Amino acid sequence: MSSGFPDRRMRRLRRTEVWRKMVAETRLAPEDFVYPMFAVEGSGVRNDVKSMPGVQQLSVDCLVDAAGAVHAAGVPSVILFGIPSEKDAHGSHGYDPEGIVPTAIRALKEQIPTLNVWADVCLCEYTEHGHCGLLTSEGEVDNDTTLPLLAKAARVYAEAGADAVAPSDMMDGRVRAIRDELDGANLGHVPIVSYAAKYASAFYGPFRDAAESTPAFGDRRGYQMDPPNAREALAEVALDIEEGADMVMVKPAGPYLDIIRAVREMVSVPVSAYQVSGEFSMIHAAAQNGWLDLRRAALESLIGIRRAGADLILTYFAKEAAEWLKEG
Ligand code: PBG
């Protein structure tokens, strides 16, 4: 083979759709997706989340219907967030066995047994101050007193039938605390998907509308990661795996593709990435303005995350993307 042009023509294998498909180095399939859903109390409730087109807060009856449609599109898994009608200083609804998330898990597992159901574990949706843990009298998020509550929430979700628990709080030591609690409760079979490298990101904005979890004061930079740091992400991931994480997550995804790649190269456990609310809403907003094509931009954003090294993608595009992929 000669070293270059005119003998070597890179365009030859790009000429037709069939060639492009055959030589694609990365593939995207409905099985790659996990769809985030927001459960609220009541029945017949479908509240549009204004900043996230097509996303709704759903009461359990509606959530089961919606999850059925997602599952029918070929998406194997959903991750649940709960929005309680009452919040308190301790986030107690978050670990109440009759709370919104355990109720939703039981309904889903009963009505769609083959749907894989993950439960997000965090206190921010349940605390009146909106932080991810308990506060000290000085108003700081208190790592160690928060751990037993996160562990309890994880156990309650696992007892309700969750196929995985996914701590997103970024407290140190929470994976160990959750593993011990699950193992002690005869729930050794339930995996932990840890949000290991979760950055303090502006791209969570729309989610906080959806989950009603905006901190009442301050921000989350004292516990979530600082965007400039990459080596620190690898340290977080290594610690979580040591503590017992079965799968790790990088979040957000699009602005952190280098982190996904670095984590992929370091670990042997599956790597997931969360394409967060802001990434989703940005693409929608541009599409609504006619500035880009929704389908192409969404699929490109997803294949980019896969190419970076993610095995699974948590994405609000899951259902639509699965349908687009089936259309070919
Ligand atoms: C915290 C949590 C957040 C998201 C998932 N879990 C928000 C936060 O840390 O403020 C963000 C997801 C998204 O933006 O789509 N429980």
Side-chain angles (χ1 to χ4, degrees):
M1 190 173 73
S2 112
S3 57
F5 184 80
D7 305 293
R8 187 109 168 102
R9 290 182 181 271
M10 298 301 287
R11 291 175 50 184
R12 287 183 189 122
L13 299 183
R14 286 178 206 151
R15 272 191 55 244
T16 68
E17 183 64 22
V18 177
W19 268 127
R20 289 191 291 272
K21 278 207 171 133
M22 288 170 68
V23 301
E25 297 175 34
T26 312
R27 292 174 204 274
L28 199 57
E31 294 79 35
D32 303 334
F33 304 139
V34 180
Y35 183 60
M37 303 189 81
F38 302 96
V40 288
E41 286 168 27
S43 68
V45 182
R46 288 194 170 87
N47 297 331
D48 287 335
V49 177
K50 288 202 175 42
S51 53
M52 301 176 71
V55 174
Q56 296 175 315
Q57 297 176 335
L58 299 165
S59 55
V60 172
D61 53 331
C62 299
L63 187 127
V64 170
D65 289 348
V70 173
H71 193 233
V75 177
S77 187
V78 301
I79 179 166
L80 297 180
F81 297 91
I83 301 127
S85 50
E86 287 188 20
K87 308 190 184 216
D88 61 25
H90 305 280
S92 43
H93 190 101
Y95 38 89
D96 177 350
E98 299 309 317
I100 183 69
V101 165
T103 305
I105 295 168
R106 284 189 293 268
L108 286 171
K109 292 306 295 182
E110 197 181 295
Q111 297 186 51
I112 320 172
T114 55
L115 179 71
N116 182 276
V117 179
W118 298 10
D120 183 87
V121 176
C122 192
L123 295 189
C124 68
E125 300 112 86
Y126 307 101
T127 53
E128 58 205 5
H129 45 72
H131 279 287
C132 301
L134 298 179
L135 298 183
T136 63
S137 46
E138 288 81 47
E140 266 212 56
V141 175
D142 191 2
N143 194 89
D144 296 12
T145 58
T146 300
L147 296 181
L149 302 184
L150 295 168
K152 195 167 163 184
R155 173 172 51 75
V156 165
Y157 304 156
E159 281 167 349
D163 293 289
V165 291
S168 65
D169 52 281
M170 289 302 275
M171 298 301 121
D172 289 323
R174 90 272 208 217
V175 174
R176 181 76 268 155
I178 291 172
R179 189 70 270 160
D180 287 347
E181 177 89 11
L182 292 177
D183 291 355
N186 231 340
L187 293 161
H189 58 284
V190 178
I192 300 175
V193 179
S194 88
Y195 288 68
K198 175 173 175 182
Y199 287 86
S201 173
F203 292 94
Y204 305 151
F207 173 93
R208 291 180 186 174
D209 285 348
E212 300 173 9
S213 65
T214 307
F217 63 90
D219 54 45
R220 304 205 205 290
R221 285 184 285 185
Y223 41 105
Q224 297 180 347
M225 281 189 59
D226 201 21
N229 295 357
R231 289 190 302 269
E232 188 188 344
L234 300 184
E236 282 281 8
V237 166
L239 282 170
D240 281 7
I241 293 175
E242 241 174 73
E243 289 182 26
D246 299 279
M247 191 189 302
V248 291
M249 194 193 301
V250 174
K251 176 182 171 194
Y256 297 89
L257 296 176
D258 57 324
I259 308 297
I260 297 173
R261 163 60 40 191
V263 170
R264 172 67 295 161
E265 282 171 8
M266 183 178 79
V267 307
S268 55
V269 299
V271 175
S272 57
Y274 199 143
Q275 180 182 53
V276 301
S277 56
E279 299 175 70
F280 169 82
S281 299
M282 267 190 320
I283 292 174
H284 263 290
Q288 275 172 9
N289 273 293
W291 294 339
L292 46 75
D293 180 83
L294 180 70
R295 172 181 168 147
R296 289 193 55 205
L299 290 175
E300 187 175 333
S301 71
L302 294 166
I303 199 81
I305 296 165
R306 289 269 298 134
R307 195 189 59 241
D311 300 295
L312 294 175
I313 308 175
L314 289 80
T315 174
Y316 302 96
F317 285 120
K319 176 166 170 278
E320 276 170 298
E323 287 162 355
W324 290 329
L325 290 169
K326 270 196 254 172
E327 286 163 19

